[in-house]
Amino acid sequence: MTAGSALRQGQALLEGGGVAEARLTAEVLLCHALRRERVYLYSHPEHELSTVEWLHYGRYLHERLKGKPTQYITRRQEFFGREFVVSAEVLIPRPETEHVVERAAAVAREARRVLDIGTGSGALAVTLALEQGRELVVATDISAGALRVARENARRLGALVRLVRTDLAAGLGGAFDLIVSNPPYIPESEIAHLQHEVRDWEPRVALAGGADGAEPYRRIVPEAERLLRPGGWLIFEIGFQIEAAVRAAFGPRWRDIETGCDLAGLPRVISGRYAP
Ligand SMILES: C[S@@+](CC[C@H](N)C(=O)[O-])C[C@H]1O[C@@H](n2cnc3c(N)ncnc32)[C@H](O)[C@@H]1O
């Protein structure tokens, strides 16, 4: 079996199973089985698959057909130009979350002490640690499995991040210049209606944001008031349906509250400056 025909067969199988972007997915899974970059497939369509490569490819296709997201099969996802390790214990970092990094660069470029609440794979904490000269980056998560993945990413990418297992920011002290968070924000009633790849595979603790999706935000704002220095910034990723609820959560001690939209034009980021 050559790589070219394996690709065609994989694509047909995935299309038959209703998998979106079947061609691209087959390419990614075949590359993963061959341990090669995608360019190799185009330059070597005549590559003969070994028995082990064929078995791996078949298993990956089968897993994808059962609904497992491609990133959990390859254990990789790119975020802000870097490759992050992912496992089923963390949310797959989304491109929309890069807007949080961009907002941080826009309003808090000089922030030296940074806290990421609910770090998951560490995508935000590691990126923020590497993008600017920081003095301290602390990242929390309630999930021990997520912290293991974040630790692996920090180590692989050479970022200095202090990882703490706690409920939001409980037990932390110190004056931060910037707090970022992409907390779980799916309203309880909507979980059942999520795309099945998300609902059945991504960790529920990374998705469920209480009755209206804004509960974690209402808990994080008082924590930010405790942990930010006056003038420090809080930047949230939000779901577009909860923009009003999150803005309301900021309260009277906050200034310069601003919403930013993602590439689809939907509210995706809210930032505010703590001005007690
Ligand atoms: C939506 S995911 C975001 C992950 C990552 N920051 C990202 O943007 O890709 C939310 C994360 O918050 C964590 N989390 C949920 N509840 C938490 C809590 N009470 N305290 C700390 N972390 C929590 C979850 O385990 C998950 O890793």
Side-chain angles (χ1 to χ4, degrees), residues 91 93 97 118-120 124 141-143 146 166-168 182-184 205-206 219:
L91 187 95
T97 305
T119 197
L124 282 173
D141 208 290
I142 202 159
S143 153
T166 187
D167 180 13
L168 299 181
N182 173 20
V205 67
R219 293 184 58 214

Side-chain angles (χ1 to χ4, degrees), residues 71 75-86 91-104 116 119-131 153 157 180-182 237 268-269:
Q71 294 91 334
R75 293 198 73 232
R76 295 289 181 277
Q77 172 64 30
E78 195 198 292
F79 183 81
F80 220 80
R82 296 185 181 86
E83 191 181 74
F84 282 76
V85 169
V86 294
L91 187 95
I92 298 165
R94 305 294 205 271
E96 302 89 88
T97 305
E98 295 183 355
H99 293 298
V100 173
V101 180
E102 287 161 3
R103 178 58 65 91
D116 174 20
T119 197
S121 63
L124 282 173
V126 168
T127 303
L128 290 169
L130 294 174
E131 288 298 310
N153 282 316
L157 293 166
V180 296
S181 186
N182 173 20
E237 175 173 328
R268 186 59 68 189
V269 172

Side-chain angles (χ1 to χ4, degrees), residues 234-236 238 243 246-247 250 257-259 269-272:
L234 173 58
I235 305 178
F236 281 131
I238 56 162
E243 184 200 2
V246 175
R247 285 186 84 99
F250 273 92
I257 297 169
E258 205 181 313
T259 302
V269 172
I270 293 185
S271 55

Side-chain angles (χ1 to χ4, degrees), residues 30-170:
L30 183 55
C31 289
H32 188 51
L34 301 182
R35 306 288 186 257
R36 303 269 191 180
E37 298 296 321
R38 263 172 75 206
V39 64
Y40 181 83
L41 290 187
Y42 295 106
S43 50
H44 296 82
E46 77 298 342
H47 172 105
E48 283 290 336
L49 269 70
S50 69
T51 310
V52 170
E53 287 167 344
W54 178 238
L55 284 174
H56 281 153
Y57 182 49
R59 180 160 59 84
Y60 301 153
L61 288 168
H62 191 66
E63 287 178 343
R64 185 67 194 90
L65 280 169
K66 285 202 305 192
K68 190 170 184 176
T70 306
Q71 294 91 334
Y72 288 154
I73 300 172
T74 62
R75 293 198 73 232
R76 295 289 181 277
Q77 172 64 30
E78 195 198 292
F79 183 81
F80 220 80
R82 296 185 181 86
E83 191 181 74
F84 282 76
V85 169
V86 294
S87 79
E89 289 175 298
V90 298
L91 187 95
I92 298 165
R94 305 294 205 271
E96 302 89 88
T97 305
E98 295 183 355
H99 293 298
V100 173
V101 180
E102 287 161 3
R103 178 58 65 91
V107 299
R109 177 169 287 277
E110 308 304 328
R112 306 273 296 144
R113 298 167 66 85
V114 178
L115 170 63
D116 174 20
I117 298 178
T119 197
S121 63
L124 282 173
V126 168
T127 303
L128 290 169
L130 294 174
E131 288 298 310
Q132 307 285 336
R134 312 283 182 199
E135 181 187 307
L136 175 71
V137 178
V138 180
T140 72
D141 208 290
I142 202 159
S143 153
L147 288 172
R148 270 195 298 277
V149 175
R151 185 164 294 113
E152 184 176 353
N153 282 316
R155 183 186 53 74
R156 285 167 59 102
L157 293 166
L160 267 180
V161 179
R162 213 180 100 207
L163 294 157
V164 182
R165 186 176 182 196
T166 187
D167 180 13
L168 299 181

